[in-house]
Amino acid sequence: MVGMDLDSPLPESWEEARARRERDADRNELLQSQLARPTRIVAIGGGTGLPMVLRGLARRAAPKPGDPGVDITAVVAMSDDGGSSGRLRRLHGALPPGDIRNCLVALAGGRNALKEVFQFRFGGARGLAGHAVGNLLIAALAELKGDFLEAVRMSGELLGARGRVLPCTLESVQLVAQMHDDTEVIGERNICRAQGRVRRVSLSPRSPPPVEGLLEALYTADLVTIGPGSLYSSLLPNLLVDGVAQALRESRALKVMVANLMSQPGETDGMSCLDHVQAVRNHVGPVLDAVLVNGTEPSPEATRRYGRRGSFAVCVDTRELIAAGVVPVRADLLKSGSRIRHDSRKVAACLLKMARSGL
């Protein structure tokens, strides 16, 4: 008791101090173990945002002297019912392969002739028109093997993917949205057409079972990334799968949302970065530790051009994020060029730094 002023308030209780020391010890143990093995990253999403993250990470996957590399697991939403994927679902009862295909191609990296073949779309107005070759191949392998997950694994082998891709569930699910006017819209493509503010989304059937290996990947990860991408159609459907939110809350991994650069017309109009975080929290609880945000202003001309389409920069207030219990990490994430896009190399570099430093 010597040297302690009992009349002054303690910064934390003994219990809080012990809990903090235990958390610090766990984190130090985790960081030390990373020095001898690849950094385990689980990237969650869909659409075009997840492949961007994967392209950057795939370049860092192979081990090098002094760098054990990266072990990558991509987790992809399975509620897509539009385009080629939607047609395969409706006509053949297949699970949607489109986002899976894009992620496999992103992980292939390098100059791979099969990448171009996988991404080739047939022209015309009938029959195969609009179908991507990779979608047809994955669907064919799934029917041939009677196992969608095996079809994805085999496709990854063909492409030489530097990581694995997991559908979040093997259940045939639909996305259901409750809109701000209290109407209910069923189906992802119908939600996009509705052009109204979404209040809440769910899956039908509710809480579908996770694919084998998903929960284990979350529990053993060093870093889990969520986004960027369509908040309600690409990110949240993954988190609504049974057991995923609980695994995120219990995992020792650092959970990071990669913030969207621009709003999505008709879906996230007027939503700030904090609003995105709160939407995740309102659906599945406090599963985020940090938010990676862009700190570079796009050109005024590009901003005006996007504004004419109804897309505006997502407002980031770091004080609000901190008050909400989420750590904002700001960095230059912008890709050069006329379009407002994330740079996959910059994003990957920041994520790896966060994973290997603990933040």
Side-chain angles (χ1 to χ4, degrees), residues 279-297:
V280 171
R281 185 172 291 176
N282 291 340
H283 279 78
V284 294
V287 298
L288 296 173
D289 299 315
V291 184
L292 180 60
V293 299
N294 174 54
T296 304
E297 290 287 335

Side-chain angles (χ1 to χ4, degrees), residues 11 35 37 43 47 59 66 89 100 134 152 179 194 229 231 256 353-354:
L35 299 176
R37 60 163 174 78
R59 298 185 182 101
R89 290 188 72 170
I100 293 279
V152 175
M179 313 300 286
L231 175 64
V256 180
K353 185 175 182 179
M354 295 170 73

Side-chain angles (χ1 to χ4, degrees), residues 88 96 100-101 126 142 169 194 218 249 254 269 273 282 334:
L88 288 170
I100 293 279
R101 179 196 84 245
R126 294 183 177 181
T169 181
L218 293 173
R249 288 191 293 268
L254 184 67
D269 294 321
C273 185
N282 291 340
L334 203 60

Side-chain angles (χ1 to χ4, degrees), residues 98-266:
D99 286 350
I100 293 279
R101 179 196 84 245
N102 286 329
C103 290
L104 289 172
V105 169
L107 286 171
R111 294 183 178 179
N112 186 324
L114 271 179
K115 289 169 57 177
E116 189 174 351
V117 175
F118 260 66
Q119 297 293 62
F120 176 80
R121 286 188 184 272
F122 292 97
R126 294 183 177 181
L128 295 177
H131 280 300
V133 170
N135 287 0
L136 298 175
L137 178 60
I138 294 170
L141 284 171
E143 191 168 323
L144 180 66
K145 297 295 182 180
D147 186 334
F148 185 78
L149 195 58
E150 176 65 9
V152 175
R153 187 194 65 79
M154 292 176 67
S155 299
E157 283 191 355
L158 286 172
L159 286 164
R162 291 170 286 185
R164 64 173 174 163
V165 178
L166 295 177
C168 63
T169 181
L170 295 179
E171 189 89 15
S172 181
V173 295
Q174 283 188 308
L175 191 63
V176 181
Q178 280 73 45
M179 313 300 286
H180 269 266
D181 61 1
D182 292 327
T183 58
E184 182 177 88
V185 182
I186 300 174
E188 186 176 312
R189 62 178 179 157
N190 293 328
I191 295 169
C192 293
R193 291 170 180 169
Q195 289 292 299
R197 279 290 298 273
V198 177
R199 177 183 296 156
R200 192 171 185 85
V201 292
S202 59
L203 294 177
S204 178
R206 287 182 176 271
S207 300
V211 71
E212 182 181 354
L214 170 54
L215 299 186
E216 180 185 1
L218 293 173
Y219 277 115
T220 59
D222 301 308
L223 180 82
V224 177
T225 72
I226 300 172
S230 299
L231 175 64
Y232 293 106
S233 55
S234 293
L235 308 188
L236 284 170
N238 292 290
L239 309 185
L240 297 173
V241 170
D242 190 36
V244 169
Q246 180 179 349
L248 286 171
R249 288 191 293 268
E250 295 177 355
S251 173
R252 295 193 301 175
L254 184 67
K255 279 79 72 174
V256 180
M257 172 180 270
V258 183
N260 289 340
L261 300 173
M262 308 295 289
S263 64
Q264 184 172 349

